[in-house]
Amino acid sequence: MAEEAQVDYSLNNPDTLTKYKSAAQISQKALEAVSGWCVEGAKIVDLCARGDKLLEEEIAKVYKGKKISKGISHPTTVSPDSYITPYTPLISDPEEAETKLKVGEFIKVQLGAQIDGFGTIVCDTLVIPSKQNEGNKIPSRQADLLLATHWANELLLRLMLPPGLLATGTDEEKKKAAASQKQYTQAKINSLLEKVAKSYDCSIVESTTCWLFERNEIEGKKKIILSPGEGVKGEGLPEVGDVWGIEMGLSLGTGKVKTLPNRPTLHRRTTTTYGLKRPSSRATLSEIVKKFGQFPFSLRQLDDERAAKVGVVECVRGNVLRQYEVIADKDSESVARLFTTVAITKNGLTRLSAPPEPDLSKFKTDKKIVDEEILAILEQPLAKNTGSKTKNKKKKKKPAKKADDDDDDDDDDESDDE
């Protein structure tokens, strides 16, 4: 134990970032695969099971023979149109097990992997196409929601950067640059993001939360809450050396939420110690600790799904486990969500795992961002140009005022982030 306490698990240790990146590569591969399986008529429960199987297979290929923990940091979840929280039905609940993907739905796919407790999570939103119209452009209101979510996410990533981080010149010049800039407060972040949402006649989902990630922890000491509810506020601001889970959720409605009557199937172990009385509860908790540590899990991942449904009851009551209620848009309107795991280093912000870049040419809408302050921020890079290899560098289309014009699709500008 004394030897382990001396290990540096911060980003100052190159091994830490390497493990995050290894977990991220697995997460990205699984997201791409599950997204490809999301077609009209596919059963959500089958997609979740297949996604977890793929994650386990890919995780088994890395760090073989090493005495480190590794596993799923977030089970595969597939959330239907108006659902906000990750959704993972059980085979033993017949009605929910029959839930299938429908044409035109906004589907949110979320999953993740962890290596040595360094977890990455990623989420993307897809629109299920009809088999006859797969190549057509995405219609207006669907396009509005996807564009609003995309640009709000891009804006938030840039607002996360500490002041002066990308400044160049001497150390003294860098210090002056940092001193001349103010870090965006959570109130200012919310104000700017609301403007993006309103540009597309959408709303930020109430209490969308971004968390500081730590080793074996995806809900750390700091959090940023978007569109916070009454009496709710975030804590702390991003710093160099942080890893964050950045969540962005938007709705075509008001953004208000409601709890659905569905059984909560997603749980996570807390740090609370409680003397469980029932043998079934103790057996369930023992399996959870061994398999998942403090990362989220689905009841379908346990050996006996039916026994797990009984065993978690006392665990939740004693606050040994936290259960995630199934939350949806209050007005049953469509919801889009993105989740990106990022690292903030001395060179800027690195996307460890992130949703793929959308094809903006498919979006048909007459709405656009016109706020000059927001447009200027979106033009800023996320990281310094360090002169490293750029084979994976992507080009990002400018969110210009004429974003709805086809000509702008060809006016690309290289971003310094990867």
Side-chain angles (χ1 to χ4, degrees):
M1 293 295 290
E3 183 179 345
E4 184 175 342
Q6 296 173 2
V7 177
D8 180 7
Y9 290 116
S10 74
L11 291 183
N12 292 326
N13 183 347
D15 287 345
T16 296
L17 192 55
T18 298
K19 290 170 182 174
Y20 268 122
K21 288 182 176 180
S22 295
Q25 288 172 356
I26 294 169
S27 301
Q28 293 289 156
K29 184 173 183 177
L31 175 67
E32 182 179 359
V34 177
S35 298
W37 300 334
C38 289
V39 295
E40 179 185 355
K43 287 186 179 181
I44 289 179
V45 70
D46 293 341
L47 294 170
C48 293
R50 288 180 69 188
D52 284 353
K53 185 174 184 292
L54 177 59
L55 283 169
E56 289 168 353
E57 291 172 351
E58 294 300 318
I59 290 166
K61 296 177 183 178
V62 300
Y63 287 87
K64 290 183 177 179
K66 304 287 186 181
K67 291 185 177 180
I68 60 174
S69 65
K70 55 182 182 176
I72 295 176
S73 63
H74 193 286
T76 305
T77 59
V78 180
S79 305
D81 197 63
S82 64
Y83 286 44
I84 296 167
T85 49
Y87 179 63
T88 167
L90 305 180
I91 296 174
S92 57
D93 289 338
E95 185 176 342
E96 290 195 47
E98 289 299 313
T99 306
K100 298 178 181 179
L101 302 186
K102 300 174 183 176
V103 169
E105 278 193 317
F106 283 84
I107 301 299
K108 284 75 69 178
V109 178
Q110 183 163 318
L111 49 81
Q114 62 91 4
I115 305 294
D116 198 18
F118 299 110
T120 62
I121 298 174
V122 64
C123 175
D124 191 22
T125 294
L126 324 165
V127 178
I128 302 301
S130 67
K131 294 172 183 176
Q132 293 79 19
N133 300 299
E134 290 181 0
N136 283 4
K137 287 194 173 185
I138 296 172
S140 180
R141 286 304 284 153
Q142 289 185 333
D144 291 341
L145 182 55
L146 291 174
L147 282 170
T149 308
H150 169 69
W151 290 122
N153 189 59
E154 290 297 316
L155 180 63
L156 178 55
L157 293 178
R158 286 156 176 78
L159 299 178
M160 297 278 294
L161 288 169
L165 184 59
L166 304 186
T168 57
T170 64
D171 289 344
E172 187 63 30
E173 288 171 335
K174 291 177 183 177
K175 287 180 180 178
K176 286 183 179 179
S180 66
Q181 299 176 21
K182 289 185 178 180
Q183 188 154 16
Y184 292 101
T185 63
Q186 298 213 16
K188 180 64 173 178
I189 289 173
N190 269 289
S191 173
L192 291 172
L193 292 175
E194 288 290 349
K195 289 181 181 179
V196 173
K198 295 306 178 188
S199 296
Y200 295 94
D201 196 19
C202 296
S203 302
I204 304 287
V205 172
E206 182 181 10
S207 295
T208 297
T209 306
C210 307
W211 289 95
L212 176 71
F213 279 13
E214 298 169 346
R215 186 170 182 254
N216 295 314
E217 180 58 77
I218 60 166
E219 294 183 3
K221 300 179 181 68
K222 296 190 284 188
K223 60 184 176 181
I224 296 172
I225 302 180
L226 310 179
S227 189
E230 192 169 341
V232 179
K233 65 177 182 178
E235 300 173 28
L237 292 169
E239 300 174 87
V240 171
D242 284 355
V243 174
W244 282 77
I246 306 300
E247 181 176 4
M248 180 56 62
L250 274 83
S251 165
L252 285 177
T254 62
K256 298 299 181 182
V257 303
K258 64 182 178 183
T259 302
L260 297 179
N262 305 57
R263 177 195 302 275
T265 61
L266 191 67
H267 295 73
R268 180 171 175 261
R269 183 183 160 216
T270 70
T271 55
T272 300
T273 302
Y274 178 79
L276 298 172
K277 297 178 175 59
R278 297 172 62 93
S280 61
S281 303
R282 293 196 295 270
T284 299
L285 181 62
S286 177
E287 183 183 355
I288 290 166
V289 171
K290 183 179 179 181
K291 286 186 174 180
F292 313 113
Q294 288 182 248
F295 288 101
F297 63 92
S298 168
L299 295 182
R300 63 178 166 72
Q301 293 175 282
L302 298 175
D303 291 341
D304 188 331
E305 195 177 276
R306 294 182 183 277
K309 289 194 287 189
V310 176
V312 297
V313 174
E314 185 184 6
C315 295
V316 171
R317 191 184 304 127
N319 199 32
V320 176
L321 294 180
R322 172 189 171 187
Q323 72 177 18
Y324 292 84
E325 303 291 343
V326 182
I327 306 296
D329 184 87
K330 187 176 182 180
D331 306 312
S332 299
E333 291 283 358
S334 298
V335 171
R337 283 180 60 252
L338 300 175
F339 198 105
T340 311
T341 304
V342 304
I344 303 175
T345 70
K346 63 181 180 180
N347 291 322
L349 185 146
T350 298
R351 304 181 210 232
L352 297 171
S353 59
E357 193 76 16
D359 181 357
L360 301 183
S361 66
K362 289 187 176 181
F363 298 154
K364 182 180 180 181
T365 180
D366 58 356
K367 298 182 178 64
K368 55 197 173 186
I369 299 170
V370 296
D371 186 281
E372 294 289 351
E373 181 182 12
I374 292 172
L375 290 170
I377 295 171
L378 286 171
E379 290 294 333
Q380 297 171 8
L382 286 173
K384 297 175 184 176
N385 186 350
T386 58
S388 58
K389 293 179 181 179
T390 58
K391 63 180 181 179
N392 292 322
K393 188 174 288 186
K394 297 176 182 177
K395 290 186 176 182
K396 182 174 297 301
K397 293 181 175 63
K398 295 181 180 180
K401 295 180 185 178
K402 297 180 181 179
D404 54 322
D405 292 342
D406 290 339
D407 291 342
D408 280 351
D409 290 338
D410 298 322
D411 186 14
D412 290 352
D413 140 77
E414 288 194 9
S415 170
D416 291 319
D417 58 292
E418 297 184 2

